[in-house]
């Protein structure tokens, strides 16, 4: 989702854009403007539950890429990932030109070795690679995250009237508040008169039911990726930890209350391009540790947030959010 501005820039000059994504990113890739095709492969140096490296698997991948005769490849990585393993496989597949952001010496693996100074948001970091490769967003492109529209009608799920979405889960425990704390947030929002929808993946239905309780509407496991995007798009505000749906909400143009554990830098990973209130102790001992499980007893960076502060942030963002029709025209 954060690669969206970079992909749109490439699409202004390319006749066909193929996105290579892991299985966890496939659904997001299908929602991105500018993408003509998505190829899925599990990179064993990227996936958090990596498969073993085998000659058979990498050989099949190289053969697939070779069969498509790509002219160019841009490798998009986060700041702590290396592009060089993929660059090696793409070279073996015959890709004649490869560009990437790389701190490591690439030898002959890269035609463009781009360097990024400072600590920019991930979407700007990736967009800078496209610009260094000669691609630029058109003047009328807002440069924020975006979704392929139209999105499906989800009135049967959301009902009528305004609502706030609470998304309780994250991909790793260190970035996710406890169910009991999030349930308190749902109750507090409902007590202030908000209609609260609780979203989650099929495997999170038990969590979302627990969090929603009697105060919220449990949508856990009831939405496809495109339907989830539509639910987030229609919300006044989305409350979520540092997780994919927070960025999906930003791509939908919806303000986000970001419950952000500082295991990765908020400057890079906070929701981009929409009004955001960042909550969570950014100076906690886990800062910049990239921990998957919280190393501090009690998870204080998130559990220490007062639900009343979440309610105040929702009110603040709801007051500054542009009307939904206007927001749709921007995307």
């Amino acid at each position: 989702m954060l690669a969206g501005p970079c992909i749109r820039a490439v699409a202004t000059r390319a006749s066909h854009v193929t996105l290579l994504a892991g299985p966890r990113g496939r659904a997001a890739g299908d929602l991105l403007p500018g993408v003509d095709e998505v190829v899925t492969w599990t990179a064993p140096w990227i996936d958090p539950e990596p498969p073993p490296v085998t000659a058979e698997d990498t050989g099949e991948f190289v053969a697939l890429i070779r069969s498509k005769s790509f002219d160019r490849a841009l490798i998009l990585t986060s700041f702590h990932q290396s592009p060089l393993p993929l660059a090696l496989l793409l070279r073996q597949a015959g890709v004649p030109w490869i560009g990437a952001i790389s701190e490591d010496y690439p030898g002959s693996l890269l035609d463009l070795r781009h360097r990024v100074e400072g600590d920019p948001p991930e979407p700007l970091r990736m967009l800078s690679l496209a610009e260094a490769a000669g691609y630029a967003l058109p003047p009328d492109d807002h440069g924020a995250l975006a979704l392929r529209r139209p999105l499906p009608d989800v009135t049967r799920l959301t009902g009528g009237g305004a609502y706030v979405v609470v998304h309780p889960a994250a991909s790793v425990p260190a970035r996710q508040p406890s169910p009991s704390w999030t349930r308190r947030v749902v109750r507090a929002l409902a007590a202030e008169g908000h209609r609260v929808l609780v979203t989650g993946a099929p495997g999170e239905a038990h969590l979302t039911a627990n969090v929603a309780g009697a105060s919220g509407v449990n949508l856990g496991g009831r939405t496809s990726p495109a339907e989830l995007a539509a639910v987030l798009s229609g919300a006044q505000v989305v409350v979520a930890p540092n997780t994919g749906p927070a960025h999906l909400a930003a791509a939908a143009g919806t303000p986000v209350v970001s419950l952000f554990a500082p295991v990765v830098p908020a400057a890079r990973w906070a929701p981009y391009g929409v009004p955001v209130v960042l909550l969570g102790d950014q100076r906690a001992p886990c800062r910049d540790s990239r921990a998957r499980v919280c190393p501090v007893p009690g998870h204080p960076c998130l559990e220490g947030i007062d639900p009343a502060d979440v309610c105040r942030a929702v009110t603040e963002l709801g007051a500054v959010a542009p009307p939904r029709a206007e927001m749709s025209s921007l995307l």
Side-chain angles (χ1 to χ4, degrees), residues 2 78-80 121-122 126 242 247 258 260 264-271:
L2 301 185
S78 182
F79 71 99
H80 59 275
E122 290 286 310
M126 296 184 201
N242 178 21
H247 302 299
S258 178
F260 202 96
V264 294
R268 291 183 180 271
W269 285 100

Side-chain angles (χ1 to χ4, degrees), residues 2-295:
L2 301 185
C6 173
I7 291 170
R8 297 198 308 272
V10 171
T12 60
R13 286 184 49 200
S15 60
H16 187 91
V17 176
T18 297
L19 175 66
L20 172 64
R24 299 168 192 269
R26 170 66 195 244
D30 288 333
L31 292 171
L32 289 177
V35 173
D36 298 300
E37 175 189 19
V38 181
V39 171
T40 305
W41 183 63
T42 303
W45 58 90
I46 296 292
D47 195 89
E49 298 175 351
V53 179
T54 67
E56 179 182 11
D57 181 46
T58 56
E60 289 177 354
F61 172 72
V62 167
L64 172 64
I65 299 302
R66 184 180 295 277
S67 71
K68 292 182 173 291
S69 301
F70 292 113
D71 300 308
R72 284 187 154 204
L74 294 180
I75 302 175
L76 308 181
T77 55
S78 182
F79 71 99
H80 59 275
Q81 297 167 339
S82 172
L84 300 186
L86 181 57
L88 175 61
L89 295 181
L90 295 180
R91 281 290 190 230
Q92 291 177 340
V95 178
W97 189 97
I98 303 171
I101 300 169
S102 181
E103 294 298 321
D104 299 322
Y105 172 64
S108 59
L109 294 179
L110 298 179
D111 299 280
L112 169 63
R113 179 193 185 188
H114 182 50
R115 311 291 277 277
V116 179
E117 301 298 329
D119 206 29
E122 290 286 310
L124 288 182
R125 182 175 180 272
M126 296 184 201
L127 178 59
S128 75
L129 174 62
E131 293 170 340
Y135 305 98
L137 289 171
D140 61 347
D141 192 310
H142 47 72
L145 308 188
L147 295 171
R148 189 188 300 272
R149 292 181 183 265
L151 295 171
D153 184 350
V154 289
T155 307
R156 63 181 176 80
L157 297 172
T158 62
Y163 60 89
V164 172
V165 167
V166 173
H167 188 89
S171 59
V172 296
R175 301 179 189 175
Q176 174 180 316
S178 68
S180 60
W181 182 91
T182 313
R183 183 175 174 133
R184 288 170 55 207
V185 167
V186 171
R187 287 202 303 261
L189 288 168
E192 292 203 353
H194 296 286
R195 193 161 60 94
V196 183
L197 310 185
V198 181
T199 57
E204 298 160 352
H206 179 73
L207 168 64
T208 57
N210 181 7
V211 166
S215 303
V217 177
N218 177 23
L219 296 184
R222 297 177 59 191
T223 57
S224 67
E227 288 171 333
L228 175 60
V231 170
L232 299 176
S233 179
Q236 291 179 300
V237 179
V238 171
V239 180
N242 178 21
T243 186
H247 302 299
L248 190 61
T254 303
V256 180
V257 178
S258 178
L259 312 172
F260 202 96
V263 290
V264 294
R268 291 183 180 271
W269 285 100
Y272 178 74
V274 294
V276 173
V277 172
L278 191 77
L279 298 178
D281 182 3
Q282 301 305 297
R283 296 171 295 180
C286 63
R287 181 178 181 179
D288 295 337
S289 65
R290 302 209 299 270
R292 294 175 57 82
V293 177
C294 181

